[in-house]
Amino acid sequence: MLKEKMHAALNHQIKIEAESSQIYLGMASWAETKGLNGIADFLYGHADEERMHMLKLVRYINERGGHAFIPLLEGPKNEYSSVNEVFESFLNHEIEVSSQIDELVGLALSERDYSTHNFLQWYVAEQIEEESLARTILDKLALIGEDKGGFYMFDRDLVNIKSSLSNENTGI
Ligand code: OFO
């Protein structure tokens, strides 16, 4: 059975993951309207992953005798000035999510909730991967600079970046 504090904190994390999904969906749609189809596909895929992160929490809370509340969300940002802005926001958002996950891990330890602590390790590993993915993409964009041919290839190849860096194992 989840203790009250842990229950509330995990429910709050549901909202964060759902917001992440919306944010990446907004980015994906923006990229698609700019003809950046590779970037759009990558971001649509990432929005789906965030929904899966949310769902994993929903299932866990309910399994532990709690009640996962499905949150009301504010609309995400829909306009971006550049692809760089998109991926800088992506990285900053993931850094924030990592610190939220760290807070949850700290709470699980202070509440002596070792099951939740164990459950959260998946998110800890995922955050390392996502931050590193965002940094890799920003490094590539910095290398490409104003090179249009390079950018064309970046857009085309982006979908493969994720699969080569990640070994997704959702466990749902
Ligand atoms: Fe982007 O990460 Fe969820 O947790």
Side-chain angles (χ1 to χ4, degrees):
M1 188 76 186
L2 285 170
K3 290 187 194 150
E4 196 43 51
K5 252 189 176 172
M6 201 71 245
H7 184 256
L10 289 170
N11 260 301
H12 180 63
Q13 191 65 28
I14 287 180
K15 185 163 193 217
I16 292 172
E17 301 295 343
E19 279 168 353
S20 302
S21 183
Q22 292 286 93
I23 289 169
Y24 298 142
L25 200 53
M27 289 176 176
S29 179
W30 174 83
E32 192 164 46
T33 63
K34 303 294 172 205
L36 302 166
N37 294 335
I39 293 171
D41 282 353
F42 169 84
L43 290 163
Y44 280 129
H46 213 77
D48 284 347
E49 272 188 30
E50 296 295 349
R51 186 177 184 284
M52 179 277 289
H53 297 175
M54 176 200 69
L55 192 58
K56 206 171 159 69
L57 281 156
V58 168
R59 304 293 301 267
Y60 177 75
I61 293 172
N62 290 341
E63 245 171 49
R64 296 284 318 279
H67 185 175
F69 298 114
I70 308 307
L72 184 66
L73 303 176
E74 277 173 34
K77 182 170 156 73
N78 280 299
E79 292 293 345
Y80 290 88
S81 58
S82 66
V83 170
N84 264 296
E85 191 200 353
V86 165
F87 286 106
E88 272 157 21
S89 310
F90 185 117
L91 174 60
N92 291 333
H93 184 72
E94 289 304 329
I95 291 171
E96 262 177 52
V97 174
S98 298
S99 74
Q100 296 286 344
I101 297 289
D102 288 347
E103 291 289 318
L104 282 176
V105 171
L107 182 64
L109 280 178
S110 69
E111 295 280 303
R112 294 172 172 267
D113 182 345
Y114 300 115
S115 313
T116 301
H117 183 267
N118 186 45
F119 167 77
L120 290 170
Q121 295 313 302
W122 183 88
Y123 288 84
V124 171
E126 182 70 10
Q127 284 313 119
I128 294 171
E129 208 175 77
E130 297 208 337
E131 280 189 37
S132 136
L133 174 65
R135 289 194 179 93
T136 303
I137 292 172
L138 283 169
D139 287 349
K140 284 190 189 296
L141 283 170
L143 270 176
I144 290 164
E146 298 299 309
D147 175 4
K148 286 207 164 58
F151 188 74
Y152 174 82
M153 283 177 25
F154 168 82
D155 181 55
R156 196 196 58 188
D157 294 342
L158 190 55
V159 172
N160 301 326
I161 290 186
K162 174 72 183 176
S163 40
S164 65
L165 285 178
S166 140
N167 55 345
E168 201 67 35
N169 176 12
T170 66
I172 286 186

Short mmCIF file of all heavy atoms in Angstrom, two decimals, residues 1-3 5-11 13-14 51-70 104-105 107-109 111-123 170-172:
data_model
loop_
_atom_site.label_atom_id
_atom_site.label_comp_id
_atom_site.label_asym_id
_atom_site.label_seq_id
_atom_site.Cartn_x
_atom_site.Cartn_y
_atom_site.Cartn_z
N MET A 1 0.86 -1.21 0.00
CA MET A 1 0.00 0.00 0.00
C MET A 1 0.89 1.25 0.00
O MET A 1 1.83 1.34 0.77
CB MET A 1 -0.89 -0.04 1.25
CG MET A 1 -1.95 1.02 1.31
SD MET A 1 -3.33 0.63 0.21
CE MET A 1 -4.31 2.10 0.35
N LEU A 2 0.54 2.18 -0.88
CA LEU A 2 1.34 3.41 -0.95
C LEU A 2 0.98 4.35 0.20
O LEU A 2 -0.21 4.53 0.51
CB LEU A 2 1.04 4.14 -2.26
CG LEU A 2 1.66 3.57 -3.54
CD1 LEU A 2 1.05 4.27 -4.75
CD2 LEU A 2 3.17 3.71 -3.53
N LYS A 3 2.01 4.96 0.78
CA LYS A 3 1.72 5.97 1.81
C LYS A 3 1.23 7.23 1.12
O LYS A 3 1.54 7.47 -0.05
CB LYS A 3 2.98 6.26 2.62
CG LYS A 3 3.37 5.10 3.51
CD LYS A 3 4.52 5.52 4.42
CE LYS A 3 5.15 4.30 5.06
NZ LYS A 3 6.57 4.47 5.33
N LYS A 5 1.98 10.44 1.16
CA LYS A 5 2.92 11.38 0.51
C LYS A 5 3.41 10.84 -0.83
O LYS A 5 3.52 11.56 -1.82
CB LYS A 5 4.14 11.58 1.42
CG LYS A 5 4.22 12.91 2.10
CD LYS A 5 5.58 12.98 2.76
CE LYS A 5 5.82 14.30 3.40
NZ LYS A 5 7.06 14.27 4.19
N MET A 6 3.74 9.55 -0.82
CA MET A 6 4.25 8.90 -2.03
C MET A 6 3.16 8.86 -3.09
O MET A 6 3.42 9.09 -4.28
CB MET A 6 4.70 7.48 -1.64
CG MET A 6 5.69 6.84 -2.57
SD MET A 6 7.35 7.56 -2.51
CE MET A 6 7.50 8.24 -4.14
N HIS A 7 1.95 8.56 -2.63
CA HIS A 7 0.80 8.49 -3.53
C HIS A 7 0.62 9.84 -4.24
O HIS A 7 0.47 9.91 -5.47
CB HIS A 7 -0.45 8.14 -2.70
CG HIS A 7 -1.69 7.93 -3.48
ND1 HIS A 7 -2.70 8.85 -3.54
CD2 HIS A 7 -2.09 6.89 -4.27
CE1 HIS A 7 -3.67 8.39 -4.32
NE2 HIS A 7 -3.33 7.21 -4.78
N ALA A 8 0.67 10.92 -3.48
CA ALA A 8 0.48 12.25 -4.06
C ALA A 8 1.63 12.59 -5.02
O ALA A 8 1.41 13.14 -6.11
CB ALA A 8 0.39 13.29 -2.94
N ALA A 9 2.84 12.24 -4.62
CA ALA A 9 4.00 12.60 -5.45
C ALA A 9 3.99 11.82 -6.76
O ALA A 9 4.32 12.36 -7.82
CB ALA A 9 5.29 12.34 -4.67
N LEU A 10 3.61 10.56 -6.71
CA LEU A 10 3.56 9.76 -7.95
C LEU A 10 2.44 10.27 -8.85
O LEU A 10 2.58 10.31 -10.08
CB LEU A 10 3.36 8.27 -7.63
CG LEU A 10 4.56 7.56 -7.00
CD1 LEU A 10 4.17 6.17 -6.51
CD2 LEU A 10 5.74 7.46 -7.97
N ASN A 11 1.33 10.67 -8.23
CA ASN A 11 0.25 11.24 -9.04
C ASN A 11 0.71 12.54 -9.71
O ASN A 11 0.37 12.81 -10.86
CB ASN A 11 -0.99 11.50 -8.17
CG ASN A 11 -2.01 10.39 -8.34
OD1 ASN A 11 -2.49 10.13 -9.44
ND2 ASN A 11 -2.33 9.71 -7.26
N GLN A 13 3.69 13.13 -10.66
CA GLN A 13 4.58 12.74 -11.76
C GLN A 13 3.78 12.30 -13.00
O GLN A 13 4.23 12.49 -14.13
CB GLN A 13 5.52 11.62 -11.29
CG GLN A 13 6.65 11.32 -12.27
CD GLN A 13 7.62 12.49 -12.45
OE1 GLN A 13 7.78 13.29 -11.52
NE2 GLN A 13 8.25 12.60 -13.60
N ILE A 14 2.58 11.77 -12.78
CA ILE A 14 1.72 11.43 -13.93
C ILE A 14 1.50 12.68 -14.76
O ILE A 14 1.58 12.67 -15.98
CB ILE A 14 0.36 10.87 -13.44
CG1 ILE A 14 0.53 9.47 -12.88
CG2 ILE A 14 -0.69 10.89 -14.55
CD1 ILE A 14 -0.74 8.84 -12.38
N ARG A 51 3.90 9.23 -23.16
CA ARG A 51 2.59 8.72 -22.75
C ARG A 51 2.77 7.36 -22.06
O ARG A 51 2.11 7.06 -21.06
CB ARG A 51 1.65 8.59 -23.95
CG ARG A 51 0.26 8.20 -23.52
CD ARG A 51 -0.72 8.12 -24.66
NE ARG A 51 -2.05 7.82 -24.15
CZ ARG A 51 -2.42 6.60 -23.74
NH1 ARG A 51 -1.59 5.59 -23.81
NH2 ARG A 51 -3.64 6.40 -23.27
N MET A 52 3.69 6.58 -22.58
CA MET A 52 3.98 5.28 -21.98
C MET A 52 4.58 5.47 -20.58
O MET A 52 4.22 4.75 -19.65
CB MET A 52 4.92 4.53 -22.93
CG MET A 52 5.36 3.17 -22.49
SD MET A 52 6.75 3.24 -21.38
CE MET A 52 8.07 3.75 -22.49
N HIS A 53 5.42 6.48 -20.40
CA HIS A 53 5.97 6.76 -19.07
C HIS A 53 4.83 7.08 -18.09
O HIS A 53 4.85 6.68 -16.93
CB HIS A 53 6.93 7.95 -19.08
CG HIS A 53 8.16 7.76 -19.93
ND1 HIS A 53 9.09 8.75 -20.15
CD2 HIS A 53 8.61 6.68 -20.62
CE1 HIS A 53 10.05 8.28 -20.93
NE2 HIS A 53 9.78 7.02 -21.23
N MET A 54 3.86 7.84 -18.61
CA MET A 54 2.71 8.20 -17.77
C MET A 54 1.91 6.95 -17.41
O MET A 54 1.55 6.73 -16.25
CB MET A 54 1.84 9.20 -18.53
CG MET A 54 0.58 9.56 -17.78
SD MET A 54 -0.70 10.25 -18.85
CE MET A 54 -1.15 8.84 -19.83
N LEU A 55 1.65 6.13 -18.43
CA LEU A 55 0.83 4.95 -18.24
C LEU A 55 1.46 3.97 -17.24
O LEU A 55 0.77 3.36 -16.42
CB LEU A 55 0.64 4.26 -19.60
CG LEU A 55 -0.39 3.16 -19.68
CD1 LEU A 55 -1.77 3.68 -19.27
CD2 LEU A 55 -0.46 2.63 -21.11
N LYS A 56 2.77 3.88 -17.32
CA LYS A 56 3.50 3.00 -16.40
C LYS A 56 3.25 3.43 -14.94
O LYS A 56 3.08 2.60 -14.06
CB LYS A 56 4.99 3.12 -16.76
CG LYS A 56 5.86 1.95 -16.42
CD LYS A 56 7.24 2.20 -17.07
CE LYS A 56 8.32 1.40 -16.40
NZ LYS A 56 8.24 -0.04 -16.64
N LEU A 57 3.22 4.75 -14.73
CA LEU A 57 2.92 5.27 -13.38
C LEU A 57 1.48 4.98 -12.98
O LEU A 57 1.21 4.61 -11.83
CB LEU A 57 3.16 6.78 -13.34
CG LEU A 57 4.61 7.23 -13.22
CD1 LEU A 57 4.78 8.63 -13.77
CD2 LEU A 57 5.08 7.17 -11.76
N VAL A 58 0.57 5.18 -13.93
CA VAL A 58 -0.86 4.93 -13.64
C VAL A 58 -1.03 3.49 -13.17
O VAL A 58 -1.64 3.22 -12.12
CB VAL A 58 -1.73 5.19 -14.90
CG1 VAL A 58 -3.15 4.68 -14.72
CG2 VAL A 58 -1.73 6.69 -15.26
N ARG A 59 -0.42 2.56 -13.91
CA ARG A 59 -0.59 1.14 -13.59
C ARG A 59 0.05 0.81 -12.25
O ARG A 59 -0.49 0.03 -11.46
CB ARG A 59 0.04 0.28 -14.70
CG ARG A 59 -0.49 0.53 -16.11
CD ARG A 59 -1.93 0.14 -16.31
NE ARG A 59 -2.20 -1.27 -16.04
CZ ARG A 59 -2.18 -2.25 -16.95
NH1 ARG A 59 -1.93 -1.96 -18.21
NH2 ARG A 59 -2.45 -3.48 -16.61
N TYR A 60 1.21 1.42 -12.00
CA TYR A 60 1.91 1.13 -10.74
C TYR A 60 1.10 1.61 -9.54
O TYR A 60 0.93 0.88 -8.54
CB TYR A 60 3.30 1.78 -10.76
CG TYR A 60 4.04 1.56 -9.45
CD1 TYR A 60 4.60 0.32 -9.17
CD2 TYR A 60 4.15 2.58 -8.51
CE1 TYR A 60 5.26 0.09 -7.96
CE2 TYR A 60 4.81 2.37 -7.31
CZ TYR A 60 5.36 1.13 -7.03
OH TYR A 60 6.00 0.91 -5.83
N ILE A 61 0.62 2.85 -9.61
CA ILE A 61 -0.13 3.41 -8.48
C ILE A 61 -1.34 2.52 -8.18
O ILE A 61 -1.61 2.16 -7.02
CB ILE A 61 -0.57 4.87 -8.77
CG1 ILE A 61 0.66 5.78 -8.85
CG2 ILE A 61 -1.55 5.37 -7.72
CD1 ILE A 61 0.36 7.20 -9.33
N ASN A 62 -2.07 2.16 -9.21
CA ASN A 62 -3.27 1.34 -9.00
C ASN A 62 -2.93 -0.05 -8.48
O ASN A 62 -3.64 -0.58 -7.61
CB ASN A 62 -4.10 1.27 -10.29
CG ASN A 62 -4.75 2.61 -10.62
OD1 ASN A 62 -4.88 3.46 -9.75
ND2 ASN A 62 -5.14 2.79 -11.86
N GLU A 63 -1.84 -0.61 -9.00
CA GLU A 63 -1.41 -1.93 -8.52
C GLU A 63 -1.06 -1.93 -7.04
O GLU A 63 -1.22 -2.93 -6.36
CB GLU A 63 -0.10 -2.28 -9.26
CG GLU A 63 -0.17 -3.46 -10.19
CD GLU A 63 1.12 -3.52 -11.00
OE1 GLU A 63 2.22 -3.44 -10.40
OE2 GLU A 63 1.00 -3.61 -12.21
N ARG A 64 -0.56 -0.77 -6.57
CA ARG A 64 -0.16 -0.68 -5.16
C ARG A 64 -1.30 -0.24 -4.27
O ARG A 64 -1.09 0.23 -3.15
CB ARG A 64 1.02 0.29 -5.01
CG ARG A 64 2.30 -0.11 -5.70
CD ARG A 64 3.08 -1.21 -4.98
NE ARG A 64 3.15 -1.07 -3.52
CZ ARG A 64 4.01 -0.27 -2.90
NH1 ARG A 64 4.88 0.43 -3.56
NH2 ARG A 64 4.01 -0.21 -1.58
N GLY A 65 -2.52 -0.31 -4.76
CA GLY A 65 -3.68 0.01 -3.93
C GLY A 65 -4.02 1.48 -3.89
O GLY A 65 -4.85 1.92 -3.07
N GLY A 66 -3.38 2.28 -4.75
CA GLY A 66 -3.70 3.71 -4.80
C GLY A 66 -4.72 3.98 -5.88
O GLY A 66 -5.36 3.05 -6.40
N HIS A 67 -4.86 5.24 -6.20
CA HIS A 67 -5.75 5.64 -7.29
C HIS A 67 -5.03 6.67 -8.14
O HIS A 67 -4.73 7.78 -7.68
CB HIS A 67 -7.06 6.21 -6.73
CG HIS A 67 -8.07 6.53 -7.80
ND1 HIS A 67 -9.34 6.96 -7.51
CD2 HIS A 67 -7.99 6.47 -9.15
CE1 HIS A 67 -10.00 7.16 -8.64
NE2 HIS A 67 -9.20 6.87 -9.65
N ALA A 68 -4.73 6.28 -9.37
CA ALA A 68 -4.04 7.20 -10.28
C ALA A 68 -5.07 8.16 -10.86
O ALA A 68 -6.06 7.72 -11.45
CB ALA A 68 -3.36 6.40 -11.39
N PHE A 69 -4.82 9.45 -10.67
CA PHE A 69 -5.73 10.47 -11.20
C PHE A 69 -5.22 10.97 -12.55
O PHE A 69 -4.05 11.33 -12.68
CB PHE A 69 -5.87 11.62 -10.22
CG PHE A 69 -6.46 11.19 -8.91
CD1 PHE A 69 -5.70 11.23 -7.75
CD2 PHE A 69 -7.76 10.71 -8.84
CE1 PHE A 69 -6.23 10.80 -6.54
CE2 PHE A 69 -8.31 10.29 -7.62
CZ PHE A 69 -7.53 10.33 -6.47
N ILE A 70 -6.12 11.02 -13.51
CA ILE A 70 -5.73 11.49 -14.84
C ILE A 70 -5.90 13.01 -14.86
O ILE A 70 -7.00 13.53 -14.62
CB ILE A 70 -6.61 10.83 -15.94
CG1 ILE A 70 -6.59 9.29 -15.76
CG2 ILE A 70 -6.16 11.24 -17.33
CD1 ILE A 70 -5.20 8.65 -15.68
N LEU A 104 11.56 12.22 -6.35
CA LEU A 104 10.74 11.04 -6.04
C LEU A 104 11.58 9.94 -5.40
O LEU A 104 11.14 9.29 -4.45
CB LEU A 104 10.10 10.49 -7.32
CG LEU A 104 8.89 11.22 -7.89
CD1 LEU A 104 8.46 10.58 -9.20
CD2 LEU A 104 7.72 11.18 -6.89
N VAL A 105 12.77 9.74 -5.95
CA VAL A 105 13.65 8.70 -5.41
C VAL A 105 14.01 9.04 -3.96
O VAL A 105 13.96 8.19 -3.07
CB VAL A 105 14.93 8.55 -6.27
CG1 VAL A 105 15.94 7.63 -5.60
CG2 VAL A 105 14.58 8.03 -7.66
N LEU A 107 12.25 10.81 -1.89
CA LEU A 107 11.07 10.60 -1.05
C LEU A 107 10.86 9.11 -0.77
O LEU A 107 10.56 8.73 0.38
CB LEU A 107 9.83 11.19 -1.75
CG LEU A 107 8.52 11.09 -0.98
CD1 LEU A 107 8.58 11.90 0.31
CD2 LEU A 107 7.34 11.57 -1.84
N ALA A 108 11.03 8.29 -1.80
CA ALA A 108 10.86 6.84 -1.61
C ALA A 108 11.81 6.33 -0.53
O ALA A 108 11.43 5.52 0.32
CB ALA A 108 11.09 6.10 -2.93
N LEU A 109 13.04 6.87 -0.55
CA LEU A 109 14.00 6.43 0.47
C LEU A 109 13.60 6.92 1.85
O LEU A 109 13.62 6.16 2.82
CB LEU A 109 15.40 6.94 0.13
CG LEU A 109 16.16 6.15 -0.94
CD1 LEU A 109 17.51 6.80 -1.21
CD2 LEU A 109 16.35 4.69 -0.51
N GLU A 111 10.73 7.63 2.94
CA GLU A 111 9.50 6.94 3.38
C GLU A 111 9.72 5.44 3.56
O GLU A 111 8.79 4.71 3.84
CB GLU A 111 8.39 7.14 2.34
CG GLU A 111 7.92 8.57 2.16
CD GLU A 111 6.95 9.01 3.25
OE1 GLU A 111 5.93 8.36 3.42
OE2 GLU A 111 7.29 10.00 3.93
N ARG A 112 10.94 5.00 3.28
CA ARG A 112 11.29 3.56 3.33
C ARG A 112 10.36 2.73 2.43
O ARG A 112 9.97 1.62 2.77
CB ARG A 112 11.23 3.03 4.76
CG ARG A 112 12.27 3.64 5.65
CD ARG A 112 12.05 3.22 7.08
NE ARG A 112 13.15 3.66 7.92
CZ ARG A 112 14.21 2.91 8.21
NH1 ARG A 112 14.32 1.70 7.73
NH2 ARG A 112 15.16 3.39 8.97
N ASP A 113 10.03 3.32 1.29
CA ASP A 113 9.17 2.61 0.33
C ASP A 113 10.10 1.99 -0.73
O ASP A 113 10.36 2.58 -1.78
CB ASP A 113 8.18 3.61 -0.30
CG ASP A 113 7.23 2.94 -1.28
OD1 ASP A 113 7.51 1.80 -1.70
OD2 ASP A 113 6.22 3.58 -1.63
N TYR A 114 10.60 0.82 -0.43
CA TYR A 114 11.62 0.22 -1.29
C TYR A 114 11.06 -0.31 -2.59
O TYR A 114 11.77 -0.39 -3.59
CB TYR A 114 12.41 -0.85 -0.51
CG TYR A 114 13.10 -0.22 0.69
CD1 TYR A 114 12.74 -0.58 1.99
CD2 TYR A 114 14.04 0.78 0.51
CE1 TYR A 114 13.34 0.05 3.08
CE2 TYR A 114 14.64 1.41 1.59
CZ TYR A 114 14.29 1.04 2.87
OH TYR A 114 14.87 1.67 3.94
N SER A 115 9.78 -0.66 -2.61
CA SER A 115 9.18 -1.10 -3.88
C SER A 115 9.14 0.06 -4.86
O SER A 115 9.47 -0.09 -6.04
CB SER A 115 7.74 -1.59 -3.67
OG SER A 115 7.69 -2.44 -2.59
N THR A 116 8.72 1.22 -4.35
CA THR A 116 8.66 2.38 -5.24
C THR A 116 10.07 2.80 -5.63
O THR A 116 10.31 3.19 -6.78
CB THR A 116 7.89 3.55 -4.57
OG1 THR A 116 6.57 3.09 -4.27
CG2 THR A 116 7.82 4.77 -5.45
N HIS A 117 10.98 2.70 -4.70
CA HIS A 117 12.37 3.03 -5.02
C HIS A 117 12.85 2.16 -6.18
O HIS A 117 13.45 2.63 -7.14
CB HIS A 117 13.25 2.82 -3.78
CG HIS A 117 14.68 3.18 -4.00
ND1 HIS A 117 15.63 2.27 -4.39
CD2 HIS A 117 15.31 4.38 -3.93
CE1 HIS A 117 16.78 2.88 -4.55
NE2 HIS A 117 16.63 4.16 -4.27
N ASN A 118 12.53 0.89 -6.10
CA ASN A 118 12.91 -0.06 -7.15
C ASN A 118 12.22 0.28 -8.47
O ASN A 118 12.84 0.31 -9.53
CB ASN A 118 12.55 -1.47 -6.67
CG ASN A 118 13.04 -2.52 -7.61
OD1 ASN A 118 14.18 -2.46 -8.07
ND2 ASN A 118 12.19 -3.47 -7.94
N PHE A 119 10.94 0.56 -8.39
CA PHE A 119 10.16 0.93 -9.58
C PHE A 119 10.78 2.16 -10.27
O PHE A 119 10.85 2.24 -11.50
CB PHE A 119 8.72 1.21 -9.14
CG PHE A 119 7.86 1.90 -10.16
CD1 PHE A 119 7.35 1.19 -11.25
CD2 PHE A 119 7.57 3.26 -10.06
CE1 PHE A 119 6.56 1.82 -12.20
CE2 PHE A 119 6.78 3.89 -11.01
CZ PHE A 119 6.27 3.18 -12.09
N LEU A 120 11.22 3.11 -9.45
CA LEU A 120 11.72 4.37 -10.02
C LEU A 120 13.08 4.25 -10.71
O LEU A 120 13.46 5.13 -11.49
CB LEU A 120 11.81 5.44 -8.92
CG LEU A 120 10.47 5.95 -8.40
CD1 LEU A 120 10.68 6.81 -7.15
CD2 LEU A 120 9.73 6.77 -9.48
N GLN A 121 13.78 3.16 -10.45
CA GLN A 121 15.10 3.01 -11.08
C GLN A 121 15.00 2.99 -12.61
O GLN A 121 15.90 3.44 -13.31
CB GLN A 121 15.83 1.75 -10.57
CG GLN A 121 16.17 1.80 -9.09
CD GLN A 121 16.79 3.12 -8.68
OE1 GLN A 121 17.82 3.53 -9.21
NE2 GLN A 121 16.16 3.82 -7.74
N TRP A 122 13.89 2.49 -13.11
CA TRP A 122 13.69 2.48 -14.56
C TRP A 122 13.69 3.92 -15.10
O TRP A 122 14.30 4.23 -16.13
CB TRP A 122 12.36 1.78 -14.89
CG TRP A 122 12.13 1.67 -16.36
CD1 TRP A 122 12.55 0.67 -17.19
CD2 TRP A 122 11.45 2.64 -17.19
NE1 TRP A 122 12.16 0.96 -18.48
CE2 TRP A 122 11.49 2.15 -18.51
CE3 TRP A 122 10.81 3.87 -16.94
CZ2 TRP A 122 10.93 2.83 -19.59
CZ3 TRP A 122 10.26 4.55 -18.00
CH2 TRP A 122 10.32 4.03 -19.31
N TYR A 123 13.03 4.82 -14.33
CA TYR A 123 12.96 6.23 -14.76
C TYR A 123 14.34 6.91 -14.64
O TYR A 123 14.68 7.75 -15.45
CB TYR A 123 11.92 6.99 -13.92
CG TYR A 123 10.49 6.60 -14.28
CD1 TYR A 123 9.90 5.48 -13.72
CD2 TYR A 123 9.77 7.34 -15.21
CE1 TYR A 123 8.60 5.10 -14.07
CE2 TYR A 123 8.47 6.97 -15.56
CZ TYR A 123 7.90 5.85 -14.99
OH TYR A 123 6.62 5.47 -15.35
N THR A 170 10.07 -1.19 -21.85
CA THR A 170 9.05 -0.47 -21.10
C THR A 170 8.56 -1.25 -19.89
O THR A 170 8.20 -0.68 -18.89
CB THR A 170 7.84 -0.17 -22.00
OG1 THR A 170 7.25 -1.41 -22.35
CG2 THR A 170 8.28 0.59 -23.22
N GLY A 171 8.48 -2.54 -20.00
CA GLY A 171 8.01 -3.35 -18.87
C GLY A 171 6.53 -3.20 -18.58
O GLY A 171 6.06 -3.67 -17.56
N ILE A 172 5.78 -2.52 -19.46
CA ILE A 172 4.32 -2.42 -19.22
C ILE A 172 3.67 -3.72 -19.64
O ILE A 172 3.94 -4.23 -20.70
CB ILE A 172 3.69 -1.26 -20.01
CG1 ILE A 172 4.07 0.05 -19.38
CG2 ILE A 172 2.18 -1.36 -19.99
CD1 ILE A 172 3.40 1.24 -19.97
#
